[in-house]
């Protein structure tokens, strides 16, 4: 089973630029073309939050139009830039979303791997929180078909990465999540967005990775006093392939067209 992960497209109303500078809509459209050009095609496409930049219904209208070009089923979670009710109204047909509260869901009908959408956002805040209610919901979800290979998708990573302006906005309460996931070895990955960079680390007995954004990259700076910055680095997506007996292999795929192919020996 082949699963592409796009993240943090920060879609804006048609014709408007992200932060007044960057055409995030065109960059997302390029990411969609890249996904559609993969051979074989993915069985499923994930978008790990910050679907739109401002939470407005008008932006979700643009997002729906751009996402409709993806030639595979799409499931997506909200991020801190999304607005839950507008998100629910716009994408309620993509998954069995609850009518109120956090937008948790289980997507199990796309192949052998199930994806759990886990909403750790806090309305009006940039950081995320794992509270008891969220952990209890996840425990119940994981206990059903506990042996089934599972990807857990959440927006804010529960990490202290050493990049100060990212760590302030992490998902708090990660130690509870780590101990919970450690009880479910079929969790192949914890997949996050939010940080607009690729990172991976051990977490709760599995692997956690964060996806790059389809638009700007948040600066990699490891000094405690580093000021927040972002750059227009080459955007990228992640491609997760699951095989029976192997589990999941994650590929980092730059978005764009590049010179080649060349031979090698
Ligand atoms: Fe973002």
């Amino acid at each position: 089973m082949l699963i592409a992960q796009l993240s943090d497209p920060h879609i804006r109303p048609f014709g408007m630029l992200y932060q007044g500078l960057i055409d995030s809509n065109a960059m997302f459209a390029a990411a969609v073309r890249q996904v559609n050009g993969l051979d074989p095609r993915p069985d499923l496409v994930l978008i790990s939050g910050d679907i739109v930049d401002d939470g407005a219904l008008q932006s979700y209208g643009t997002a729906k139009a751009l996402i409709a070009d993806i030639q595979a089923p799409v499931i997506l979670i909200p991020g801190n830039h999304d607005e839950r009710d507008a998100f629910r109204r716009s994408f309620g047909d993509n998954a069995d979303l609850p009518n109120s509260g956090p937008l948790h869901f289980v997507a199990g009908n796309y192949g052998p791997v199930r994806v759990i959408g886990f909403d750790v956002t806090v309305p009006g805040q940039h950081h995320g929180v794992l509270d008891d209610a969220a952990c209890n919901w996840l425990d119940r979800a994981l206990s059903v078909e506990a042996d089934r290979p599972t990807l857990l998708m959440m927006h804010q990573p529960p990490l202290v990465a050493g990049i100060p302006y990212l760590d302030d906005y992490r998902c708090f309460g990660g130690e509870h999540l780590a101990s919970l996931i450690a009880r479910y070895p079929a969790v192949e990955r914890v997949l996050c967005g939010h940080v607009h960079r690729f990172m991976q680390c051990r977490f709760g007995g599995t692997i956690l990775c964060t996806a790059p954004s389809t638009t700007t990259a948040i600066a990699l700076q490891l000094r405690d006093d580093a000021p927040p910055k972002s750059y227009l680095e080459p955007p990228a997506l992640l491609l997760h392939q699951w095989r029976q007996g192997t589990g999941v292999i994650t590929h980092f795929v730059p978005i764009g067209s590049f010179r080649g192919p060349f031979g090698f020996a």
Side-chain angles (χ1 to χ4, degrees), residues 38-71:
L38 293 169
D39 184 15
R41 288 256 176 88
D43 300 293
L44 182 63
V45 175
L46 313 179
I47 311 178
S48 43
D50 284 358
I51 310 302
V52 304
D53 190 50
D54 60 3
L57 268 178
Q58 194 187 1
S59 301
Y60 285 106
T62 311
K64 284 194 77 162
L66 293 170
I67 289 169
D69 287 336
I70 298 177
Q71 293 164 1

Coordinates of all heavy atoms in Angstrom, one line a residue, residues 38-71:
L38 N 3.1 10.1 -9.9 CA 3.9 9.0 -9.3 C 3.4 7.7 -10.0 O 2.2 7.5 -10.3 CB 3.6 8.9 -7.8 CG 4.2 10.0 -7.0 CD1 3.7 10.0 -5.6 CD2 5.7 10.0 -7.0
D39 N 4.3 6.8 -10.2 CA 4.0 5.5 -10.9 C 4.7 4.4 -10.1 O 5.9 4.3 -10.1 CB 4.5 5.5 -12.3 CG 4.1 4.3 -13.1 OD1 3.2 3.5 -12.6 OD2 4.7 4.0 -14.1
P40 N 3.9 3.6 -9.4 CA 2.5 3.5 -9.3 C 1.9 4.7 -8.5 O 2.6 5.3 -7.7 CB 2.2 2.2 -8.6 CG 3.4 1.9 -7.8 CD 4.6 2.5 -8.6
R41 N 0.6 4.9 -8.8 CA -0.1 6.0 -8.1 C -0.3 5.6 -6.6 O -0.5 4.4 -6.3 CB -1.5 6.1 -8.7 CG -1.5 6.7 -10.1 CD -2.0 8.2 -9.9 NE -1.9 8.9 -11.2 CZ -2.9 8.8 -12.1 NH1 -4.0 8.2 -11.8 NH2 -2.8 9.4 -13.2
P42 N -0.3 6.5 -5.7 CA -0.6 6.2 -4.3 C -2.1 5.7 -4.2 O -3.0 6.1 -5.0 CB -0.5 7.5 -3.6 CG 0.3 8.4 -4.5 CD 0.0 7.9 -5.9
D43 N -2.3 4.8 -3.2 CA -3.6 4.4 -2.9 C -4.4 5.4 -2.1 O -5.6 5.3 -2.0 CB -3.5 3.0 -2.1 CG -2.8 2.0 -2.9 OD1 -3.3 1.5 -3.9 OD2 -1.6 1.6 -2.5
L44 N -3.6 6.3 -1.4 CA -4.2 7.2 -0.5 C -3.3 8.4 -0.3 O -2.1 8.3 -0.4 CB -4.4 6.5 0.9 CG -5.0 7.2 2.0 CD1 -6.5 7.6 1.7 CD2 -5.0 6.4 3.3
V45 N -3.9 9.6 -0.2 CA -3.1 10.8 0.1 C -3.5 11.4 1.4 O -4.7 11.6 1.6 CB -3.3 11.8 -1.1 CG1 -2.5 13.1 -0.8 CG2 -2.8 11.2 -2.4
L46 N -2.5 11.7 2.2 CA -2.8 12.3 3.5 C -2.4 13.8 3.4 O -1.4 14.1 2.8 CB -2.0 11.7 4.6 CG -2.0 10.1 4.7 CD1 -1.1 9.7 5.8 CD2 -3.4 9.6 4.9
I47 N -3.1 14.7 4.1 CA -2.7 16.1 4.2 C -2.7 16.4 5.7 O -3.8 16.4 6.4 CB -3.5 17.1 3.5 CG1 -3.7 16.6 2.0 CG2 -2.9 18.4 3.5 CD1 -4.6 17.5 1.2
S48 N -1.5 16.6 6.3 CA -1.4 16.7 7.8 C -1.5 18.1 8.4 O -0.7 18.5 9.2 CB -0.1 16.0 8.2 OG 1.0 16.3 7.4
G49 N -2.6 18.8 8.0 CA -2.9 20.0 8.7 C -2.5 21.3 8.1 O -1.6 21.3 7.1
D50 N -3.0 22.4 8.6 CA -2.8 23.7 8.0 C -3.2 23.7 6.5 O -2.4 24.1 5.7 CB -1.4 24.3 8.2 CG -1.2 24.8 9.7 OD1 -2.2 24.7 10.5 OD2 -0.1 25.2 10.0
I51 N -4.4 23.2 6.3 CA -4.9 23.1 4.9 C -5.0 24.5 4.4 O -4.6 24.7 3.2 CB -6.3 22.4 4.9 CG1 -6.2 21.1 5.7 CG2 -6.8 22.2 3.5 CD1 -5.2 20.1 5.3
V52 N -5.6 25.4 5.2 CA -5.7 26.8 4.7 C -4.9 27.6 5.7 O -4.5 27.2 6.8 CB -7.2 27.3 4.6 CG1 -8.0 26.4 3.7 CG2 -7.8 27.4 6.0
D53 N -4.7 28.9 5.3 CA -3.8 29.7 6.2 C -4.6 30.5 7.2 O -4.1 30.9 8.3 CB -3.0 30.7 5.3 CG -2.0 31.5 6.0 OD1 -1.2 30.8 6.8 OD2 -1.9 32.7 5.9
D54 N -5.9 30.8 6.9 CA -6.7 31.8 7.7 C -8.0 31.2 8.3 O -8.7 32.0 8.9 CB -6.9 33.1 6.9 CG -7.8 32.8 5.7 OD1 -8.2 31.6 5.5 OD2 -8.0 33.7 4.9
G55 N -8.3 30.0 8.0 CA -9.5 29.4 8.6 C -10.8 29.8 8.0 O -11.9 29.5 8.5
A56 N -10.7 30.7 6.9 CA -11.9 31.2 6.4 C -12.6 30.3 5.4 O -11.9 29.6 4.6 CB -11.6 32.6 5.7
L57 N -13.9 30.4 5.3 CA -14.7 29.5 4.4 C -14.2 29.7 2.9 O -14.2 28.8 2.2 CB -16.2 29.8 4.5 CG -16.9 28.9 5.5 CD1 -18.4 29.3 5.5 CD2 -16.8 27.4 5.1
Q58 N -13.9 31.0 2.6 CA -13.5 31.2 1.2 C -12.2 30.5 0.9 O -12.0 30.0 -0.2 CB -13.3 32.7 1.1 CG -13.1 33.2 -0.3 CD -12.7 34.7 -0.4 OE1 -12.5 35.3 0.6 NE2 -12.6 35.2 -1.6
S59 N -11.3 30.4 1.8 CA -10.1 29.6 1.6 C -10.3 28.2 1.5 O -9.7 27.5 0.7 CB -9.1 29.9 2.8 OG -8.8 31.2 2.9
Y60 N -11.3 27.7 2.3 CA -11.7 26.2 2.1 C -12.3 25.9 0.8 O -12.1 24.8 0.2 CB -12.6 25.8 3.3 CG -11.9 25.6 4.6 CD1 -12.0 26.5 5.6 CD2 -11.0 24.6 4.8 CE1 -11.3 26.4 6.8 CE2 -10.3 24.4 5.9 CZ -10.4 25.3 6.9 OH -9.7 25.2 8.1
G61 N -13.0 26.9 0.2 CA -13.5 26.7 -1.2 C -12.3 26.5 -2.1 O -12.4 25.6 -3.0
T62 N -11.3 27.3 -2.0 CA -10.1 27.2 -2.9 C -9.5 25.8 -2.6 O -9.1 25.1 -3.5 CB -9.1 28.3 -2.6 OG1 -9.8 29.5 -2.6 CG2 -8.0 28.3 -3.6
A63 N -9.4 25.5 -1.3 CA -8.7 24.2 -1.0 C -9.5 23.0 -1.6 O -8.8 22.1 -2.1 CB -8.6 24.1 0.6
K64 N -10.8 23.0 -1.5 CA -11.6 21.9 -2.0 C -11.3 21.8 -3.5 O -11.2 20.7 -4.1 CB -13.0 22.1 -1.8 CG -13.4 21.8 -0.3 CD -14.9 21.7 -0.2 CE -15.4 20.3 -0.7 NZ -16.7 19.9 -0.2
A65 N -11.3 22.9 -4.2 CA -11.1 22.9 -5.7 C -9.7 22.3 -6.0 O -9.5 21.5 -6.9 CB -11.2 24.3 -6.3
L66 N -8.6 22.7 -5.3 CA -7.3 22.2 -5.5 C -7.1 20.8 -5.2 O -6.5 20.0 -5.9 CB -6.3 23.1 -4.8 CG -6.1 24.5 -5.2 CD1 -5.3 25.3 -4.3 CD2 -5.5 24.6 -6.6
I67 N -7.7 20.4 -4.0 CA -7.7 19.0 -3.6 C -8.4 18.1 -4.5 O -8.0 16.9 -4.7 CB -8.2 18.9 -2.1 CG1 -7.2 19.5 -1.2 CG2 -8.4 17.4 -1.7 CD1 -7.7 19.8 0.2
A68 N -9.5 18.6 -5.2 CA -10.3 17.7 -6.1 C -9.4 17.2 -7.2 O -9.8 16.2 -7.9 CB -11.5 18.5 -6.6
D69 N -8.3 17.9 -7.5 CA -7.4 17.4 -8.6 C -6.6 16.2 -8.3 O -5.9 15.6 -9.1 CB -6.5 18.5 -9.1 CG -7.2 19.6 -9.9 OD1 -8.3 19.3 -10.4 OD2 -6.7 20.8 -9.9
I70 N -6.6 15.8 -7.0 CA -5.8 14.7 -6.6 C -6.5 13.4 -7.0 O -7.6 13.2 -6.7 CB -5.6 14.7 -5.0 CG1 -4.8 15.9 -4.6 CG2 -4.8 13.4 -4.6 CD1 -4.6 16.1 -3.1
Q71 N -5.7 12.5 -7.8 CA -6.4 11.4 -8.4 C -6.2 10.1 -7.4 O -5.7 9.1 -7.9 CB -5.7 11.1 -9.7 CG -6.1 12.2 -10.7 CD -5.2 12.3 -11.9 OE1 -4.3 11.4 -12.1 NE2 -5.5 13.2 -12.8

